[in-house]
Amino acid sequence: MKRSMLMLALLAALGLSACEKPTVINMPAPAPGPAGPQGATGETGSTGSTGDTGSTGYTGSTGATSATGGQGMTGDKGSTGATGKTGNTVIVVPPAEPSR
């Protein structure tokens, strides 16, 4: 049984490979004729939609330090103070240091 199946498979392969295969010939496409007159200009297209807004830019760097300003003007002289009260003068004497 094994040999008969093997022989049948070999015979089928030989029979199928011996068939004649038709040859396909590709014909070139015909050349186009002369060009016709130019057509009329087309209408202008519609306006496109607005694009997205760009992202926020980076913060700039700190500017350079400027020169020091000039000295300000002298202020006005203050008014004279009020006269103090007359009375007894108290003199405070610190105590003497103890001897060692």
Side-chain angles (χ1 to χ4, degrees):
M1 181 79 166
K2 287 184 181 181
R3 288 188 182 188
S4 62
M5 290 294 280
L6 180 61
M7 289 300 238
L8 184 61
L10 287 174
L11 188 61
L14 183 63
L16 290 175
S17 64
C19 294
E20 182 181 336
K21 296 178 185 172
T23 304
V24 178
I25 300 173
N26 292 328
M27 296 296 291
Q38 183 174 353
T41 302
E43 294 183 24
T44 302
S46 61
T47 302
S49 59
T50 303
D52 296 334
T53 302
S55 59
T56 303
Y58 296 109
T59 302
S61 58
T62 304
T65 303
S66 63
T68 304
Q71 183 174 347
M73 298 182 65
T74 305
D76 294 336
K77 186 176 181 181
S79 58
T80 305
T83 305
K85 292 185 182 180
T86 312
N88 297 337
T89 302
V90 178
I91 298 175
V92 179
V93 178
E97 288 189 30
S99 60
R100 292 186 189 184

